[in-house]
Amino acid sequence: MAVQLHHHIGGREVPGTGPHGDVFDPATGQVAAQVPLGGAAEVAAAVDAAAAAFPGWAATTPLQRARVLFRLRGLIERDADALARTIVAEHGKTLSDARGEVTRGLEVVEFACGIPHLLKGEYSAEVGRGVDSWSERAPLGVVAGITPFNFPAMVPLWMAPVALACGNTFVLKPSEKVPSAALRLAGLLREAGLPEGAFNVVHGGREAVDALLDEPRVQAVSFVGSTAVARHVYERGSQAGKRVQALGGAKNHAVVLPDADIGVAADALLGAGYGSAGERCMAISVAVCVGQATADALVEALAPKVRALRIGPGLEDPDMGPLVDAAHRARVRACIDRGVAEGARLVVDGRTHPRTQGEGFFLGASLFDHVTPEMALWREEIFGPVLCVVRVEDFESALALVDAHAYGNGAAVFTRSGGAAREFSRRVQAGMVGINVPIPVPMAFHCFGGWKRSLFGPLHMHGPDGVRFFTRLKTMTARWPEGAGAAEFAMPTMR
Ligand code: NAD
């Protein structure tokens, strides 16, 4: 019997009344749960609850809010294993990968525990004679988060702890493919002492998203997902007068220079290309090799390792689990078919892996060589266990190739030369750059975000930008005059 999931509204489980969707266990292909697909009515109920909770929550002191987050921190640590297993059950990633995801989410909670310090404003004494000026950051009100399937706990935790710490109340619309981790987080937030209604979960797909975008009481929307939907969310949300940050898709390149340690680069690319079955927005999907000898050596080092990757159910903690669902596996497989038709050389063919024959949504790891910029294989995000090698003649061509791509989430360079690394990191058109680090995901106290079609909106996720996104600035100017003043009709200037 599939588990029936609920919305979480006003601190209570609210059953869905409309249509439901299937949630699969990707390791078996079986339906594990049924998720209600909410719409305008459920969104309105969640926003009602969040709006009712806002005045009380906003009136708490930053220190009181930090204490709730400190308790949440302990509870996530207590339940980390259960949370990781929930992620594996619906996403399919390996248990150690899911534990890593929980840790990265926990780090944002730890960052948000510093909210009394983060909300400190600026102060200038004597901006004029007897006049002082200072700034404060105020919460926005009800804010919303819309999250993708690939990080069921971490991406909601990129947003909610910072938003709540700033004094907002929150409505989360998690991916309908992986709804249970969000419900666990809602339970932990309640246990941590967050007031009823301050954090709500509405399940669903496009209908729920559009209802959030159109709901006038939602002040800001933080989105992570594919570029097509990110653009839609950004445009529709902005048109409705909301503050929006919308993180989109990616195609991250790793440039391997001739002086790189090929063994180090191959191992790094193996993890970055195939970890989480390539379903990471910071996965490396293109290795750009400078020089034919570099490419030959890298492909020679990588191919046997790619063939030897252990693939199996996430709970057995192999190197790689299944893809999230049958439709996504079919799409990735079609990308591989098309790459072959386009003329790229398929060095390792994941389509023939024995695991693809049985139950579950497994697909072996694929490695392409001689990929060129004319191919869809290079242009489009595949979001699966497929690594493409592109061969270029020199450093400038490598940089030009990375910069020609529509996406600009992350980029990495492998080299022993400090000068080349510096040149690359300064010039490359990407939001996050790794130097001999394949997946340069910034820590919680820095900001996460890409450039170009990987991010719509000016502010990145978590870190100082997270606080900026979830607050608005107010700047005060004050004097305490003694005696009567005189009216002034010219533009005021300080004397
Ligand atoms: P998705 O865009 O299909 O879904 C994301 C969210 O939008 C989900 O909550 C979903 O229910 C909703 N949604 C889906 N279609 C919609 C529509 N037509 N209108 C309104 N809402 C809709 O993304 P996904 O498949 O869940 O996640 C994978 C994508 O997310 C990849 O492109 C990946 O690169 C991207 N991603 C980006 C980052 C980043 O930081 N830039 C991080 C993680 C994932």
Side-chain angles (χ1 to χ4, degrees):
M1 265 286 281
V3 179
Q4 292 291 319
L5 299 174
H6 299 87
H7 305 290
H8 179 97
I9 297 174
R12 288 178 300 109
E13 287 186 346
V14 175
T17 49
H20 282 65
D22 291 334
V23 181
F24 293 96
D25 175 351
T28 63
Q30 301 299 311
V31 175
Q34 295 244 288
V35 62
L37 300 175
E42 288 77 7
V43 164
V47 175
D48 283 347
F54 175 67
W57 181 243
T60 57
T61 64
L63 203 54
Q64 286 170 321
R65 299 198 291 271
R67 287 187 181 132
V68 172
L69 290 163
F70 271 111
R71 285 196 290 275
L72 175 68
R73 189 204 166 280
L75 295 172
I76 291 178
E77 243 184 5
R78 182 196 71 188
D79 286 3
D81 192 58
L83 203 45
R85 284 172 192 277
T86 302
I87 293 168
V88 174
E90 294 180 353
H91 176 282
K93 65 177 69 176
T94 66
L95 190 56
S96 50
D97 192 27
R99 286 189 177 124
E101 166 179 353
V102 172
T103 302
R104 293 308 295 255
L106 182 69
E107 287 163 3
V108 184
V109 178
E110 291 170 339
F111 166 71
C113 284
I115 199 66
H117 179 73
L118 293 165
L119 284 181
K120 281 194 303 196
E122 294 173 324
Y123 190 95
S124 300
E126 288 284 284
V127 293
R129 189 73 61 80
V131 181
D132 304 323
S133 185
W134 69 96
S135 61
E136 294 176 2
R137 294 203 158 268
L140 303 173
V142 179
V143 299
I146 300 164
T147 53
F149 80 80
N150 65 323
F151 286 109
M154 184 184 81
V155 173
L157 286 171
W158 278 357
M159 306 166 177
V162 182
L164 292 168
C166 291
N168 303 285
T169 53
F170 202 88
V171 179
L172 173 65
K173 206 302 288 169
S175 166
E176 64 277 33
K177 295 179 184 177
V178 293
S180 296
L183 293 175
R184 271 194 175 274
L185 291 176
L188 295 181
L189 276 160
R190 282 291 290 136
E191 197 179 338
L194 191 75
E196 277 178 11
F199 181 81
N200 307 276
V201 179
V202 176
H203 297 293
R206 177 169 191 156
E207 217 185 310
V209 169
D210 286 348
L212 279 169
L213 296 172
D214 296 342
E215 164 59 67
R217 292 172 294 169
V218 172
Q219 302 296 319
V221 175
S222 185
F223 172 89
V224 179
S226 59
T227 286
V229 182
R231 183 198 291 268
H232 165 73
V233 167
Y234 185 73
E235 288 176 353
R236 190 158 171 162
S238 303
Q239 215 145 42
K242 300 181 196 319
R243 190 179 281 210
V244 185
Q245 59 178 178
L247 279 66
K251 187 91 173 178
N252 305 311
H253 294 62
V255 171
V256 183
L257 296 181
D259 69 344
D261 181 321
I262 291 297
V264 168
D267 283 338
L269 292 179
L270 196 69
Y274 303 105
S276 202
E279 292 170 326
R280 286 183 184 142
C281 61
M282 287 296 278
I284 292 288
S285 43
V286 184
V288 186
C289 294
V290 174
Q292 299 298 334
T294 311
D296 290 343
L298 184 77
V299 172
E300 196 183 321
L302 264 176
K305 292 175 191 272
V306 176
R307 284 192 195 97
L309 283 172
R310 293 172 302 123
I311 297 170
L315 286 180
E316 293 173 14
D317 216 21
D319 298 320
M320 214 174 88
L323 293 182
V324 72
D325 61 21
H328 187 52
R329 179 172 67 167
R331 209 188 66 76
V332 175
R333 209 194 276 259
C335 291
I336 300 170
D337 295 346
R338 194 177 50 190
V340 173
E342 286 176 313
R345 186 174 150 241
L346 187 54
V347 180
V348 182
D349 185 353
R351 298 170 302 179
T352 58
H353 193 283
R355 199 82 221 197
T356 57
Q357 303 305 318
E359 62 175 15
F361 308 131
F362 293 95
L363 183 65
S366 294
L367 177 65
F368 275 104
D369 193 3
H370 295 283
V371 175
T372 65
E374 293 73 38
M375 297 177 184
L377 200 52
W378 176 73
R379 279 196 313 275
E380 291 175 14
E381 180 180 39
I382 299 173
F383 218 57
V386 182
L387 180 62
C388 297
V389 174
V390 180
R391 295 165 174 244
V392 297
E393 285 313 310
D394 50 31
F395 177 87
E396 289 299 329
S397 314
L399 199 58
L401 183 85
V402 181
D403 291 351
H405 206 282
Y407 295 122
N409 217 36
V413 64
F414 286 87
T415 179
R416 289 189 174 98
S417 158
R422 185 173 188 277
E423 185 77 0
F424 179 84
S425 63
R426 287 183 56 82
R427 287 173 57 193
V428 72
Q429 302 291 304
M432 295 167 282
V433 181
I435 297 171
N436 299 314
V437 171
I439 305 190
V441 175
M443 296 297 285
F445 33 93
H446 286 269
C447 305
F448 182 107
W451 286 10
K452 301 191 273 184
R453 297 297 86 180
S454 296
L455 172 68
F456 298 84
L459 291 175
H460 290 200
M461 199 70 69
H462 62 65
D465 264 11
V467 177
R468 285 183 200 112
F469 182 75
F470 286 117
T471 54
R472 52 189 162 186
L473 199 63
K474 185 181 278 183
T475 306
M476 263 68 78
T477 306
R479 76 171 152 211
W480 299 95
E482 283 173 14
E488 285 191 34
F489 299 96
M491 180 68 189
T493 55
M494 292 300 175
R495 287 185 272 270

